[in-house]
Amino acid sequence: MIHLIYISSATSWPSEDDLKQLLAQSRARNLKLNITGMLLYDNATYMQVLEGREKDVHDIYNSILKDPRNTGNVVLVEEEISQRDFQNWSMGFKILKSCSSEELPGFQDAFNGKLDKELAVKNTSKALALLMGFAKHV
Ligand SMILES: Cc1cc2nc3c(=O)[nH]c(=O)nc-3n(C[C@H](O)[C@H](O)[C@H](O)COP(=O)(O)O)c2cc1C
């Protein structure tokens, strides 16, 4: 099993309905492939962790790479894991704007209150801490 964590830019500002549709589509396919994880959205930026069998994670990620709703994808981490961090979630989801500051320790300091791709790529460990911080809430 592996997890793959990437960050990408939305190609347009998604509405809440757009995000709901994206999630419904993602959850259906993830359930079938036993893929779990978490998707964060803020500031026209997506950050996601995908967990599952290597081949399945790669299949999903290849679909995401080709998806015109996002662009400029950067893989932050890809590594073998012995257990899942998000085992109960076919895909957890958070819009960071709606989170309280207790849910986002260090976010203000590291990202000036906005998810930012350049900062996340420079500051991988802080970006990962943000994403993995949700594992204990889901
Ligand atoms: C930011 C983002 C995250 C996505 N996450 C997933 C996901 O976790 N699982 C999934 O099946 N599809 C996800 N998708 C949708 C896929 O890109 C794709 O539309 C969907 O899997 C159907 O793929 P197919 O048309 O190749 O069958 C995501 C798309 C975007 C833009």
Side-chain angles (χ1 to χ4, degrees), residues 39-86:
L39 176 66
L40 300 185
Y41 173 78
D42 183 46
N43 186 35
T45 305
Y46 295 105
M47 185 158 75
Q48 187 174 29
V49 51
L50 297 162
E51 310 171 321
R53 277 182 43 205
E54 182 169 7
K55 180 189 180 302
D56 299 330
V57 169
H58 285 158
D59 284 351
I60 300 268
Y61 186 60
N62 284 331
S63 294
I64 296 171
L65 273 180
K66 286 188 227 137
D67 193 313
R69 289 172 287 190
N70 74 165
T71 187
N73 299 52
V74 180
V75 173
L76 300 175
V77 182
E78 179 179 345
E79 63 190 3
E80 248 180 66
I81 52 170
S82 54
Q83 62 183 46
R84 296 170 191 255
D85 291 304
F86 299 92

Side-chain angles (χ1 to χ4, degrees), residues 6 31 33 37 43 51 63 76 82 96-97 103 112-113 136:
Y6 73 91
L31 262 177
L33 294 179
N43 186 35
E51 310 171 321
S63 294
L76 300 175
S82 54
L96 291 187
K97 290 240 168 353
E103 270 186 291
N112 310 318
K136 47 184 189 286

